Amino acid sequence: MGFSSASPFLSTCSSVSIKLNPILLCSRRRRLPLRRRYLSVAAATVNNDVFTSPDKSKSFDFTAEERIYKWWESQGYFKPTFDRGNVPFVVPMPPPNVTGSLHMGHAMFVTLEDIMVRYHRMKGQPTLWLPGTDHAGIATQLVVEKMLAAEGIKRVDLGRDEFSKRVWEWKEKYGGTIINQIKRLGASCDWTRERFTLDKQLSRAVVEAFVRLHEKGLIYRGSYLVNWSPNLQTAVSDLEVEYSEEPGTLYHIKYRVAGGSRSDYLTIATTRPETLFGDVAVAVNPEDERYSKYIGKQAIVPLTFGRHVPIISDKYVDKEFGTGVLKISPGHDHNDYLLARTLGLPILNVMNKDGTLNEVAGLYSGLDRFEARKKLWSDLEETGLAVKKEAHTLRVPRSQRGGEIIEPLVSKQWFVTMEPLAEKALKAVEQGELTIMPERFEKIYNHWLSNIKDWCISRQLWWGHRIPVWYIVGKDAEEDYIVARSEDEALQIAREKHGNKVEVYQDPDVLDTWFSSALWPFSTLGWPDSSSDDFKQFYPTSVLETGHDILFFWVARMVMMGIEFTGSVPFSKVYLHGLIRDGQGRKMSKTLGNVIDPLDTIKDYGTDALRFTLALGTAGQDLNLSNERLASNKAFTNKLWNAGKFILQNLPKQTDISAWEAVMAYKFDNADSLLGLPLPECWVVSKLHMLIDAVTSSYDRYFFGDVAREVYDFFWADFADWYIEASKARLYHTGDHSVAYVSQAVLLYVFENVLKMLHPFMPFVTEELWQALPNRVEEALVVSAWPSTCLPRDVNTIKKFENLQALTRAIRNARAEYTVEPARRISATIVANSDVVSYISSEKEVLALLSRLDLQNLLFTGSPPEDANQSVHLVASEGLEAYLPLADMVDISAEVQRLSKRLAKMQTEYDGHIARLHSPSFVEKAPEEIVRGVREKVSEVEEKLTLTKNRLAFLKNTVLVNE
């Protein structure tokens, strides 16, 4: 039978509701043994040199974290197991640079991915977290070159092979630093599957990908304008260029009009005058009347011995910027390059790859670009062609790795044609094959892929994957090259074309690091051998979690490559997190001195507190990290520890087998057993069962911030502040010890489940506490079964206990208002109808304990007491009231005197404020906010006066009645 719309009973997991008054039940998706236990008289600690019980330590010792982690790893808990069946859950780690050291960005992704992995492992899925490191071409080469420079050695002195050997030596010595630090955060990766992007298997995948893309005509070579790093001597990706606002100069220069008088000239404004040697035109807006008469004529480029360039018109020119005249230098400006290609203008390159000017610059040839700029301006001043220079804020492009200013430069590079790949990646999101979280990032993803440029994949480095292209000695490299999977294959192809005496040499460039990273999810699982066990079992992967700042660097490219080479999207979900900022919301930087080191944080607050703090954020949103937040969550760790200590200290003795049999006899997974519990126990178990459903749902939707808040609130407010305190009424019962069994069973049951729900967030303290609990069947919390969902809960009991809570709060507030000493027990009369009186009075010991009432003078009745006019009257909720005899709470005469003095002082303060408001000179001359503040103060004091007068009148009336 279904419920009517007015029914208070709801089903949370099934579309069909069954009335089992007064218990809420719902169908279970999965039924695991709720309390699989065996009777044991010994504590359950697996290894005493690894774990420390709360009853032996005042607080959780952070130094135990590394011991616990090594124990997990040694037991093989991080490896996926198929003994429970289910669909695998796989997360590919964003491989950190092998040069890296731990920062808060790493801490964020490790925390979130570990939460996902630990949760799904406990859910019974074969769970794999794929770890690895990236060879980081530019960054690693920079590190080793600096190391060699300290020895007075340049890489060119060593040669390519010897330099590569030195890099590998450095990698073997220092490359594991970041991995060890990630382990310190608790990352439960399967380290037996750790991969490095230059491993043999991954390198084979890179070559295969290049060859296949070339065979499809999607890889080509050409000379195009790229971002060039003069110091590194390599092209860098658009995505690896960071722009910063910096002070600079805007130079105004005269360009004389050929054939005109001395007054016929155009003034251009440029921030890089040294590029004028590469000018191929001067452009004005066709609607700019100032310069219309010059359109079609020639301009003379300064200091070039009279070289002429055409004066053209184009709407691209902004009339309002600078002078409204634009020099077109397509070899050194991305916008000019596009305009030149559209208009068919030539392209001049005036710069060498080391940032010096070449022979096109004439007398300035060989000068560094910045030195040339100074000399050029000096010469322009001497020749009368310098108009002026003025301060100007520049948007400076800098290399993300080296920090130097990037130079746009025409260079011969290898490119991937992206448009056909992007189309498939767009469809993957459109058709629901790929979900991006938060959803708002879909628009950014779609915009980038819809406007994608071809990808420059070659880098002029020595560290990385060599481009699998070979040239024939003595042949034109422009026309005759071979793409092959190996040198032997290339040589065989060359011999078939040109005879057996032919020789080949490999392209010196390497591939962009992001090219190999784009193959990461499937190459780590064995691709191109798609028949490997790992590939068949774990591909496609489940979730890619990463920062939203590399949505294009990595995520979109992986999607494109995955679809291209495997026919499917490499993961079903992309979860994007935001940046970590300081407590004031500022981006962390060494310049500001606000960088928070994760390892230092762990020493001070523990890994669990750091992880819990990081996970409280919302997906995609930046998180402000402060010491206050960390301290608060360290306190939460201590609260868990103290709760565990309390529970362990109040369980039966290990040798009391009959007591343990009685405790273990309590069950909580069916309606009858739940209804058989006393009010506080039924309430907390019902609330727990509701929490399990809510938390499981939040985990499944990747709402990790909600999970953290939901468990935190339940544990601290419901369990610790209310139930643990209420349980003392039975635990400290002076009579029959069996009274305590139900509370002991509930304490253990609730605490176990709280530990399970918190474990993905706070793995160390929860495992330490778990190991201290007696009578467990599961050896380790990390591989324990997730709590069953859709367990019974009693709505009526929850409402009843909420009434008891409301009554307790009202009495506590009254005690505080009348400053009753904490140890003082007071009398009380509880007034309610018979039903309410019945269940409240059945827990009078709990009420007396929580409210500090005198149990011998605690009455329950249906009508007010005779001395009601001499009592403090409290209304806890509708139909539930309390009367507290005033004489029990306060010395009435002393309180009357105290309040009378207080009233007089408040009246004087009030009169002073009123006098100011009645003064015209104050109201008219004082600032408006000051007058408003006084008026607000008057309202505040009026309210206090009224309350104090009422209370004083009540006390005086009580004195008269007593007399």
Side-chain angles (χ1 to χ4, degrees):
M1 181 182 295
F3 295 127
S4 70
S5 60
S7 173
F9 306 107
L10 303 174
S11 173
T12 58
C13 296
S14 174
S15 58
V16 178
S17 300
I18 303 175
K19 191 171 184 180
L20 294 172
N21 187 31
I23 302 294
L24 295 185
L25 285 174
C26 45
S27 62
R28 300 180 193 169
R29 292 170 291 177
R30 179 176 69 98
R31 176 136 185 189
L32 292 173
L34 187 67
R35 296 196 51 155
R36 297 181 297 171
R37 295 178 175 277
Y38 59 88
L39 189 61
S40 170
V41 297
T45 301
V46 174
N47 194 332
N48 286 330
D49 62 355
V50 175
F51 299 98
T52 303
S53 178
D55 57 4
K56 296 179 181 178
S57 178
K58 183 178 180 181
S59 61
F60 177 55
D61 183 3
F62 303 149
T63 62
E65 294 174 349
E66 292 184 80
R67 295 198 303 274
I68 295 171
Y69 187 89
K70 288 176 182 176
W71 179 74
W72 284 328
E73 195 173 4
S74 69
Q75 300 301 306
Y77 292 142
F78 300 160
K79 297 178 182 180
T81 58
F82 289 83
D83 58 342
R84 298 193 214 171
N86 279 330
V87 177
F89 181 82
V90 186
V91 178
M93 174 186 287
N97 289 350
V98 71
T99 59
S101 60
L102 199 67
H103 57 65
M104 277 301 173
H106 295 127
M108 173 65 93
F109 91 68
V110 170
T111 295
L112 294 174
E113 290 178 30
D114 199 41
I115 286 172
M116 297 177 192
V117 167
R118 288 178 185 270
Y119 168 67
H120 285 275
R121 184 184 291 123
M122 295 174 77
K123 290 275 283 187
Q125 293 179 254
T127 303
L128 173 61
W129 188 5
L130 280 167
T133 49
D134 193 289
H135 65 277
I138 293 176
T140 306
Q141 184 158 316
L142 269 174
V143 168
V144 177
E145 285 198 60
K146 287 179 180 178
M147 180 185 73
L148 291 173
E151 302 173 24
I153 302 173
K154 295 182 179 180
R155 67 180 168 101
V156 291
D157 299 332
L158 292 175
R160 184 168 197 142
D161 291 342
E162 182 61 26
F163 177 76
S164 295
K165 179 183 175 183
R166 294 288 189 99
V167 180
W168 275 108
E169 289 173 354
W170 180 92
K171 187 264 179 186
E172 294 305 315
K173 186 174 183 180
Y174 300 106
T177 299
I178 186 67
I179 290 299
N180 291 328
Q181 291 174 336
I182 285 175
K183 288 182 177 182
R184 188 66 187 84
L185 284 165
S188 58
C189 304
D190 182 356
W191 296 107
T192 64
R193 286 178 165 87
E194 182 186 344
R195 299 291 181 264
F196 177 52
T197 48
L198 287 181
D199 285 350
K200 185 177 180 180
Q201 162 59 30
L202 275 69
S203 295
R204 186 166 76 94
V206 168
V207 171
E208 185 68 27
F210 187 99
V211 172
R212 291 192 190 185
L213 289 172
H214 186 268
E215 288 173 347
K216 292 187 69 173
L218 294 175
I219 283 184
Y220 64 93
R221 185 174 61 161
S223 294
Y224 295 93
L225 193 72
V226 297
N227 298 303
W228 187 261
S229 172
N231 285 354
L232 296 170
Q233 293 280 288
T234 182
V236 296
S237 165
D238 289 349
L239 302 173
E240 293 174 309
V241 177
E242 295 181 341
Y243 290 87
S244 59
E245 299 290 325
E246 300 179 19
T249 305
L250 191 62
Y251 300 87
H252 293 252
I253 305 170
K254 288 182 182 180
Y255 277 54
R256 299 195 186 280
V257 178
S261 66
R262 294 184 64 84
S263 62
D264 288 320
Y265 61 86
L266 299 173
T267 301
I268 63 95
T270 179
T271 59
R272 296 192 301 155
E274 69 277 8
T275 62
L276 63 79
F277 299 106
D279 290 354
V280 298
V282 172
V284 297
N285 191 292
E287 299 176 357
D288 195 335
E289 296 179 357
R290 294 175 294 175
Y291 308 118
S292 58
K293 63 181 179 180
Y294 297 128
I295 296 173
K297 295 185 178 183
Q298 299 277 312
I300 303 172
V301 181
L303 303 180
T304 61
F305 301 100
R307 184 165 67 86
H308 290 27
V309 295
I311 300 171
I312 64 174
S313 65
D314 196 278
K315 291 184 178 179
Y316 164 75
V317 181
D318 183 356
K319 294 190 297 181
E320 305 303 322
F321 177 76
T323 62
V325 184
L326 189 69
K327 61 190 285 295
I328 307 299
S329 311
H332 300 279
D333 183 274
H334 289 284
N335 293 324
D336 291 1
Y337 179 77
L338 295 174
L339 182 62
R341 295 192 65 179
T342 301
L343 300 177
L345 297 171
I347 297 173
L348 275 179
N349 174 29
V350 304
M351 204 165 292
N352 298 312
K353 290 184 176 180
D354 62 357
T356 59
L357 271 59
N358 62 24
E359 64 278 0
V360 175
L363 297 175
Y364 301 88
S365 174
L367 290 177
D368 173 78
R369 51 184 169 160
F370 302 116
E371 291 177 6
R373 182 179 300 175
K374 293 178 182 178
K375 178 170 173 44
L376 181 71
W377 183 250
S378 176
D379 292 347
L380 287 169
E381 287 179 317
E382 283 188 19
T383 57
L385 296 176
V387 179
K388 64 176 180 177
K389 64 178 182 180
E390 57 188 6
H392 181 72
T393 300
L394 304 179
R395 189 166 179 261
V396 179
R398 290 191 177 273
S399 166
Q400 187 184 60
R401 298 299 176 196
E404 65 169 321
I405 295 177
I406 292 297
E407 188 67 41
L409 198 68
V410 174
S411 176
K412 187 167 288 183
Q413 303 288 342
W414 290 93
F415 294 84
V416 176
T417 302
M418 299 300 288
E419 190 172 343
L421 301 175
E423 287 178 4
K424 297 175 184 177
L426 283 165
K427 285 182 181 178
V429 171
E430 181 183 332
Q431 296 173 358
E433 297 173 41
L434 175 65
T435 301
I436 297 177
M437 301 176 288
E439 188 178 349
R440 69 178 184 278
F441 285 103
E442 279 188 19
K443 292 182 180 178
I444 302 172
Y445 173 91
N446 291 338
H447 176 77
W448 188 73
L449 288 177
S450 299
N451 298 276
I452 198 166
K453 298 178 182 178
D454 286 356
W455 178 12
C456 175
I457 57 171
S458 48
R459 298 290 182 266
Q460 290 65 51
L461 302 171
W462 285 358
W463 173 248
H465 296 100
R466 285 283 289 274
I467 289 179
V469 171
W470 282 262
Y471 305 102
I472 300 168
V473 175
K475 299 290 182 180
D476 184 358
E478 297 292 328
E479 302 295 332
D480 210 344
Y481 64 82
I482 299 165
V483 176
R485 291 172 176 82
S486 67
E487 184 173 358
D488 289 343
E489 182 182 321
L491 188 58
Q492 181 181 343
I493 295 171
R495 286 172 176 173
E496 291 173 357
K497 293 177 65 177
H498 301 286
N500 290 335
K501 293 185 178 180
V502 73
E503 295 181 12
V504 297
Y505 62 96
Q506 191 172 1
D507 193 304
D509 289 354
V510 301
L511 287 162
D512 177 13
T513 302
W514 293 102
F515 189 89
S516 57
S517 296
L519 309 175
W520 181 255
F522 44 96
S523 62
T524 53
L525 291 171
W527 186 87
D529 180 11
S530 299
S531 63
S532 70
D533 289 341
D534 272 4
F535 192 87
K536 288 189 294 185
Q537 288 176 334
F538 298 118
Y539 188 81
T541 59
S542 306
V543 179
L544 175 77
E545 189 285 328
T546 189
H548 63 64
D549 53 329
I550 59 170
L551 180 60
F552 315 127
F553 267 116
W554 192 44
V555 179
R557 287 172 177 172
M558 276 193 291
V559 174
M560 289 185 275
M561 293 295 201
I563 296 172
E564 175 65 23
F565 296 122
T566 71
S568 62
V569 178
F571 24 77
S572 56
K573 293 182 175 64
V574 174
Y575 181 98
L576 301 170
H577 68 254
L579 299 175
I580 307 295
R581 299 182 179 275
D582 70 8
Q584 299 176 43
R586 300 173 302 174
K587 191 173 181 178
M588 291 187 187
S589 72
K590 292 180 180 178
T591 304
L592 291 175
N594 63 344
V595 174
I596 301 176
D597 188 309
L599 297 178
D600 290 340
T601 303
I602 287 171
K603 290 177 185 176
D604 293 337
Y605 301 99
T607 304
D608 292 317
L610 173 60
R611 287 171 56 119
F612 195 80
T613 305
L614 294 175
L616 275 169
T618 303
Q621 297 292 335
D622 293 352
L623 176 72
N624 294 353
L625 183 64
S626 65
N627 289 336
E628 290 75 17
R629 285 189 174 191
L630 291 164
S632 173
N633 292 319
K634 180 182 178 181
F636 182 48
T637 306
N638 290 335
K639 190 78 171 179
L640 277 172
W641 191 259
N642 289 333
K645 185 190 298 286
F646 173 85
I647 292 167
L648 288 171
Q649 289 173 346
N650 286 281
L651 290 175
K653 293 181 180 179
Q654 295 176 0
T655 54
D656 194 343
I657 296 177
S658 62
W660 273 110
E661 288 177 340
V663 169
M664 306 313 295
Y666 283 97
K667 305 297 178 185
F668 307 101
D669 60 344
N670 63 74
D672 290 340
S673 62
L674 183 69
L675 279 178
L677 296 174
L679 178 63
E681 283 70 23
C682 186
W683 167 76
V684 77
V685 171
S686 294
K687 293 276 282 187
L688 172 71
H689 291 169
M690 293 168 69
L691 175 72
I692 292 171
D693 288 354
V695 163
T696 303
S697 175
S698 293
Y699 267 116
D700 288 340
R701 291 181 295 161
Y702 301 88
F703 291 177
F704 301 126
D706 290 352
V707 171
R709 285 181 285 272
E710 287 161 354
V711 182
Y712 182 99
D713 289 345
F714 170 82
F715 172 78
W716 201 298
D718 293 338
F719 184 61
D721 287 355
W722 283 99
Y723 182 68
I724 284 182
E725 293 305 312
S727 70
K728 294 174 182 177
R730 274 178 267 280
L731 295 174
Y732 300 164
H733 189 73
T734 55
D736 187 358
H737 290 301
S738 64
V739 172
Y741 294 159
V742 64
S743 290
Q744 291 166 336
V746 169
L747 284 168
L748 203 53
Y749 173 68
V750 175
F751 194 58
E752 279 184 351
N753 281 285
V754 167
L755 293 181
K756 287 187 176 188
M757 286 183 282
L758 275 175
H759 178 74
F761 286 77
M762 310 176 80
F764 294 107
V765 69
T766 54
E767 184 72 75
E768 186 95 302
L769 288 165
W770 178 265
Q771 294 298 334
L773 297 178
N775 302 308
R776 291 175 297 93
V777 70
E778 291 136 327
E779 184 180 71
L781 180 57
V782 65
V783 289
S784 66
W786 187 254
S788 296
T789 54
C790 298
L791 294 168
R793 70 291 311 270
D794 183 6
V795 172
N796 288 338
T797 294
I798 292 173
K799 291 180 179 178
K800 289 176 181 178
F801 194 79
E802 285 173 352
N803 278 339
L804 189 146
Q805 287 177 303
L807 180 59
T808 300
R809 289 192 188 98
I811 295 172
R812 287 175 174 176
N813 290 340
R815 291 178 63 102
E817 183 180 355
Y818 285 91
T819 61
V820 180
E821 298 89 342
R824 187 173 182 177
R825 300 283 174 168
I826 60 175
S827 306
T829 299
I830 310 303
V831 179
N833 60 45
S834 58
D835 290 340
V836 176
V837 164
S838 175
Y839 67 75
I840 295 289
S841 62
S842 69
E843 295 297 339
K844 62 182 180 180
E845 290 84 0
V846 171
L847 176 62
L849 177 68
L850 296 177
S851 305
R852 297 191 177 277
L853 300 177
D854 181 357
L855 188 60
Q856 305 306 316
N857 288 293
L858 178 56
L859 303 176
F860 297 88
T861 180
S863 57
E866 294 181 359
D867 60 350
N869 59 350
Q870 300 177 50
S871 301
V872 176
H873 178 212
L874 307 174
V875 177
S877 60
E878 186 175 355
L880 178 60
E881 304 173 26
Y883 289 86
L884 310 179
L886 195 58
D888 274 15
M889 301 173 66
V890 66
D891 182 331
I892 298 176
S893 298
E895 184 68 3
V896 167
Q897 287 183 338
R898 188 183 71 83
L899 286 179
S900 297
K901 292 179 181 178
R902 183 180 174 188
L903 184 62
K905 185 177 180 180
M906 290 169 59
Q907 188 66 51
T908 301
E909 180 185 359
Y910 176 77
D911 292 341
H913 290 318
I914 290 295
R916 293 184 76 189
L917 291 177
H918 287 168
S919 169
S921 61
F922 172 73
V923 175
E924 294 172 3
K925 295 180 181 179
E928 183 180 344
E929 62 271 17
I930 298 295
V931 176
R932 184 170 59 250
V934 173
R935 288 198 174 103
E936 291 173 355
K937 194 68 177 176
V938 166
S939 298
E940 180 185 331
V941 177
E942 276 182 344
E943 185 178 351
K944 290 180 179 179
L945 276 170
T946 301
L947 291 173
T948 306
K949 286 177 180 178
N950 290 341
R951 185 174 175 188
L952 191 57
F954 171 71
L955 291 173
K956 288 180 177 178
N957 185 58
T958 303
V959 172
L960 291 174
V961 170
N962 288 336
E963 291 175 351

